[in-house]
């Protein structure tokens, strides 16, 4: 009644009541439209080392998040993994380990998607993430788990000698994460017991595994060694085919007696034979050095190939210079067409020039980055999806991976250099099917892929860049 008499008292009363009704209606409407839920994946998301991953997260019901505040975090909101507010990214309190490696996918903001892309995945990225979204005074968050995995090299089976009346076989494989499962199998796929197994952490934090088995004459058969990644449900396998009976040790009493007699009779000749072997080994080493010197004298005088980088093949996270001689890892993804020639998952770029005959050399300045690779690739090398960097996929290169300098063979070959070169000379001999790498500073040999390892098809320069790396082709 008081309200009614007040409302009828004057025009001012009607205005005040209208304002109150308008305010309450607007506020209730704002509360209704502002409420939402933040939805993340129920199952863990798995990322692969060195590649990129998108962490999904969206609003429900679907509504625009363009004017909202979005924060991706680990254990606390600040410092954060990535922060977006006032319509743009904010990097002021970003965690150092994520700087230059995150991107909020803004194309989906209008539809309520606040997904985050993380580049160059590391082992330390594994763990729980929070997706926090705030609109004025209302906020919600969702948690998700990121698992990191690495699918290592194909197992390599080697014969290590005789043991316990049989042949000792060793299976080795490297660059796995998490700790892999290793299994010997017979011809029918049935598991076989191993005699020993060791898993060790490499300097990069990845696992190297080694397992052995004793193969006796009575169990003589085809064998396979498989290494499995439990996160990816991926398995790599190598098979050892039939070993002929004469290779197995046979114990004969008469042969034992004869060996004893021979040892007694010819023991005096042992020292001479040992010295002869030393001289023979030295001769072989000198011959290898002579071959290397001839190769170097043959290659070095060749005029440098004028190599440039092909922008149509460059991953969208790579930035090329105007003269197409330099390439660097970019902080933001370029808006470029995803044509059939462009690498879409691995941060690679090919040279414009291709070679299928003759001998060609060029130099690459590798800078101060800790993650890069330099070499050559087949022109038909796969550009889409995840690819291994080894000759099997059409790539011949050397790589710096943190503290490791290595040749990208299968399995990887560690290069025991005391100092990583600042300039690498790449020499491609198409006629011999061979590629060789030199330290351009002192002309010492780094590594040679053997003759006939590079196919006769067209070959192009190739580089890969990791986090914040920068390479330049010498003019």
């Amino acid at each position: 009644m008081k309200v009614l008499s007040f409302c009828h008292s004057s025009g001012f009363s009607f205005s005040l009541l209208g304002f109150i009704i308008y305010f309450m209606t607007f506020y209730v409407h704002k509360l209704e439209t502002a409420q939402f839920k933040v939805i993340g994946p129920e199952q863990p998301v798995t990322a692969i080392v060195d590649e990129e991953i998108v962490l999904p997260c969206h609003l429900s019901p679907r509504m625009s998040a363009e004017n909202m505040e979005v924060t991706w975090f680990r254990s606390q909101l600040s410092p954060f993994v990535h922060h977006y507010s006032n319509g743009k990214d904010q990097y002021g309190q970003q965690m150092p380990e994520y700087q230059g490696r995150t991107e909020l996918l803004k194309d989906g903001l209008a539809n309520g998607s606040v997904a985050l892309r993380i580049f160059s995945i590391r082992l330390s990225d594994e763990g729980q993430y929070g997706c926090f979204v705030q609109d004025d005074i209302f906020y919600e968050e969702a948690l998700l788990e990121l698992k990191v995995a690495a699918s290592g090299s194909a197992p390599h089976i080697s014969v290590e000698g005789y043991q316990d009346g049989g042949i000792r076989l060793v299976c080795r494989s490297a660059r796995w994460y998490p700790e892999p499962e290793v299994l010997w199998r017979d011809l029918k796929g049935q598991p076989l017991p191993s005699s020993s197994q060791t898993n060790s952490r490499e300097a990069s934090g990845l696992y190297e595994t080694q397992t052995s088995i004793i193969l006796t004459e009575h169990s003589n058969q085809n064998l396979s060694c498989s290494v499995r990644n439990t996160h990816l449900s991926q398995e790599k396998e190598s098979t050892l085919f039939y070993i002929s009976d004469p290779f197995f040790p046979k114990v004969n009493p008469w042969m034992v007696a004869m060996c004893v007699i021979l040892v007694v009779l010819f023991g005096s000749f042992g020292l001479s034979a040992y010295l002869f072997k030393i001289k023979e080994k030295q001769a072989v080493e000198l011959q290898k050095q002579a071959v290397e010197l001839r190769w170097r004298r043959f290659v070095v005088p060749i005029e440098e190939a004028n190599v440039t980088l092909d922008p149509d093949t460059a991953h969208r996270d790579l930035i090329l210079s105007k003269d197409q001689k330099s390439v660097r890892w970019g902080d933001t993804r370029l808006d470029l067409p995803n044509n059939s020639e462009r690498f879409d998952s691995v941060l690679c770029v090919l040279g414009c020039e291709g070679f299928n005959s003759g001998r060609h050399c060029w130099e690459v300045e590798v800078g101060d980055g800790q993650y890069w690779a330099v070499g050559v690739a087949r022109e038909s090398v796969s550009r889409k999806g995840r690819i291994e960097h080894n000759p099997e996929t059409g790539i011949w290169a050397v790589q710096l991976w943190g503290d490791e300098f290595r040749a990208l063979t299968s399995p990887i070959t560690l290069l025991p250099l005391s100092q990583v070169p600042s300039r690498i000379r790449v020499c491609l001999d198409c006629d011999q099917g061979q590629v060789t790498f030199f330290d351009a500073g002192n002309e010492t040999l780094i590594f040679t892929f053997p003759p006939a390892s590079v196919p006769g098809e067209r070959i192009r320069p190739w580089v890969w860049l990791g986090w914040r790396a920068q390479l330049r082709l010498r003019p």
Side-chain angles (χ1 to χ4, degrees), residues 237-469:
E237 184 178 58
S238 294
T239 301
L240 179 72
F241 295 100
Y242 187 82
I243 296 180
S244 181
D245 289 343
F247 284 97
F248 288 91
K250 292 179 172 60
V251 179
N252 187 308
W254 291 104
M255 290 298 295
V256 173
M258 182 63 69
C259 289
V260 172
I261 294 173
L262 289 176
V263 169
V264 173
L265 290 178
F266 297 102
S268 59
F269 298 102
L271 182 60
S272 299
Y274 176 72
L275 294 175
F276 176 78
K277 287 184 177 180
I278 290 179
K279 291 182 179 180
E280 185 179 20
K281 184 176 180 181
Q282 291 175 342
V284 171
E285 188 64 29
L286 290 174
Q287 184 179 8
K288 287 173 62 180
Q289 293 177 3
V291 170
E292 178 184 331
L293 289 173
R294 286 198 300 272
W295 164 253
R296 190 184 306 166
R297 285 195 294 270
F298 177 71
V299 171
V300 170
I302 296 179
E303 184 178 352
E304 297 288 333
N306 185 19
V307 176
T308 55
L309 299 172
D310 185 356
D312 291 336
T313 66
H315 189 281
R316 289 184 292 172
D317 292 339
L318 300 181
I319 299 176
L320 272 61
S321 62
K322 291 184 179 180
D323 62 0
Q324 298 176 209
K325 286 287 189 177
S326 296
V327 57
R328 64 181 176 87
W329 190 92
D331 295 333
T332 58
R333 173 159 294 190
L334 300 178
D335 185 16
L336 298 173
N338 188 18
N339 56 54
S340 60
E341 297 295 311
R342 192 178 307 283
F343 291 95
D344 67 352
S345 295
V346 185
L347 275 66
C348 303
V349 59
L350 294 176
C352 292
E353 296 72 24
F355 311 101
N356 52 20
S357 63
R359 291 174 290 272
H360 312 272
C361 295
W362 59 92
E363 289 185 11
V364 184
E365 290 182 356
V366 295
D368 298 327
Q370 289 187 301
Y371 298 92
W372 51 259
V374 172
V376 299
R378 293 184 305 192
E379 188 167 56
S380 61
V381 66
S382 176
R383 319 290 172 84
K384 307 301 180 183
R386 180 175 181 266
I387 58 174
E388 298 286 344
H389 297 167
N390 55 45
E392 282 75 10
T393 59
I395 295 173
W396 296 262
V398 293
Q399 180 187 57
L400 179 64
W401 182 261
D403 297 330
E404 291 182 359
F405 190 45
R406 55 202 190 177
L408 296 181
T409 54
S410 182
I412 286 173
T413 301
L414 294 180
L415 302 176
L417 296 183
S418 58
Q419 185 175 0
V420 177
S422 60
R423 291 185 295 125
I424 291 183
R425 183 180 180 88
V426 184
C427 296
L428 172 65
D429 188 336
C430 296
D431 300 329
Q432 295 293 324
Q434 185 176 26
V435 59
T436 303
F437 300 89
F438 293 94
D439 183 339
N442 53 25
E443 297 184 359
T444 58
L445 178 67
I446 295 175
F447 186 79
T448 298
F449 285 88
S453 61
V454 181
E457 68 176 272
R458 186 176 171 89
I459 302 297
R460 297 169 67 175
W462 172 91
V463 296
W464 168 86
L465 281 78
W467 184 57
R468 293 193 173 179

Side-chain angles (χ1 to χ4, degrees), residues 184-214:
W184 291 96
R185 293 190 180 99
D186 62 16
L187 182 61
K188 297 180 180 179
Q190 298 299 313
L192 296 172
S194 61
S195 59
S196 67
Q197 179 178 339
T198 57
N199 293 336
S200 57
R201 297 291 289 270
E202 304 173 10
S204 61
L206 302 178
Y207 283 95
E208 179 179 359
T209 183
Q210 175 176 312
T211 181
S212 64
I213 191 173
I214 306 301

Side-chain angles (χ1 to χ4, degrees), residues 113-170:
S113 174
V114 290
L116 180 73
R117 177 183 280 118
I118 303 178
F119 302 96
S120 303
I121 289 295
R122 309 170 182 175
L123 295 182
S124 59
D125 294 335
E126 188 169 66
Q128 192 176 69
Y129 287 74
C131 174
F132 177 92
V133 182
Q134 183 172 354
D135 184 19
D136 292 334
I137 62 172
F138 184 82
Y139 62 88
E140 281 285 348
E141 68 178 48
L143 299 179
L144 62 91
E145 183 180 0
L146 175 65
K147 290 186 176 182
V148 176
S151 183
S153 60
H156 176 72
I157 301 176
S158 60
V159 178
E160 299 290 321
Y162 296 117
Q163 181 177 329
D164 300 333
I167 298 176
R168 182 173 182 264
L169 305 177
V170 176

